[in-house]
Amino acid sequence: TVEHEDDAVEIAREIGYPVILKASAGGGSKVGRMTTSGAVTEFPIPSYFSEPFGITSGPDGNLWFTESDADKVGRITTSGTITEFAVTGGSGPWGIVAGPDGAMWFTERVGDNIGRIEVGGTFETMPYSPPKPHRIYRRLAFGRTVDLIVMDQRQYRKDQPCDDAVAPPCAD
């Protein structure tokens, strides 16, 4: 978490440019662009409190991101024009990646589904099989063989109570 713009500039210098920022604190709902000189330009997302997440480049030359709390996938052009595409209500889209088929693929935090959206906005969802209880699929990637790899990034501690909606169910 970056608390101040000056901190973001320092981090960007350490990790290298280009840098895309996601602002969500205080309602945020902005996508930011930072230049090598540290100048930041913010682009407000039309849906307020959308909880932008997972930003990546798309096959159309634009950047694509998910809006988890608004149940949308967003696209931002290099000039800063944002277009939002509604996806399944209540799904909480999260991780997003460009697929080898020219579409964008994303995870849904709710419902054990994977979504696919074409650059024109047509989308579909498909169940991730086999569904596993107490899982949140956050990231996905395509492997060398074009297999879709879905990563469940939940981490369970051994001392965490079972069946607390985060940890696996209790053993009988």
Side-chain angles (χ1 to χ4, degrees):
T1 302
V2 178
E3 299 293 330
H4 191 271
E5 193 173 303
D6 293 339
D7 298 332
V9 171
E10 186 59 36
I11 292 168
R13 286 186 179 132
E14 290 175 17
I15 64 173
Y17 291 91
V19 174
I20 297 296
L21 306 173
K22 173 201 78 140
S24 59
S29 294
K30 298 176 185 175
V31 175
R33 178 176 55 216
M34 181 185 296
T35 66
T36 55
S37 64
V40 175
T41 305
E42 295 180 334
F43 304 97
I45 297 170
S47 295
Y48 197 65
F49 283 108
S50 65
E51 187 57 35
F53 194 80
I55 192 165
T56 192
S57 58
D60 57 354
N62 296 306
L63 294 173
W64 289 75
F65 56 94
T66 57
E67 298 177 60
S68 187
D69 288 354
D71 296 320
K72 295 180 181 179
V73 171
R75 175 181 66 207
I76 183 168
T77 65
T78 54
S79 62
T81 301
I82 295 177
T83 305
E84 296 177 299
F85 302 97
V87 297
T88 305
S91 63
W94 201 258
I96 189 166
V97 66
D101 60 350
M104 302 303 295
W105 291 73
F106 58 94
T107 60
E108 294 183 345
R109 289 184 303 145
V110 181
D112 285 330
N113 291 321
I114 301 297
R116 179 185 177 276
I117 188 165
E118 296 176 7
V119 294
T122 303
F123 88 96
E124 62 181 315
T125 59
M126 55 213 78
Y128 177 71
S129 182
K132 296 179 181 179
H134 304 286
R135 299 282 196 247
I136 294 180
Y137 301 104
R138 297 184 184 209
R139 304 243 192 257
L140 63 161
F142 284 91
R144 290 184 179 192
T145 60
V146 192
D147 294 329
L148 180 63
I149 302 166
V150 181
M151 292 166 263
D152 174 6
Q153 291 192 334
R154 285 264 168 118
Q155 294 183 4
Y156 307 112
R157 298 187 331 248
K158 290 181 181 178
D159 64 337
Q160 188 170 349
C162 60
D163 217 16
D164 70 349
V166 175
C170 301
D172 291 334

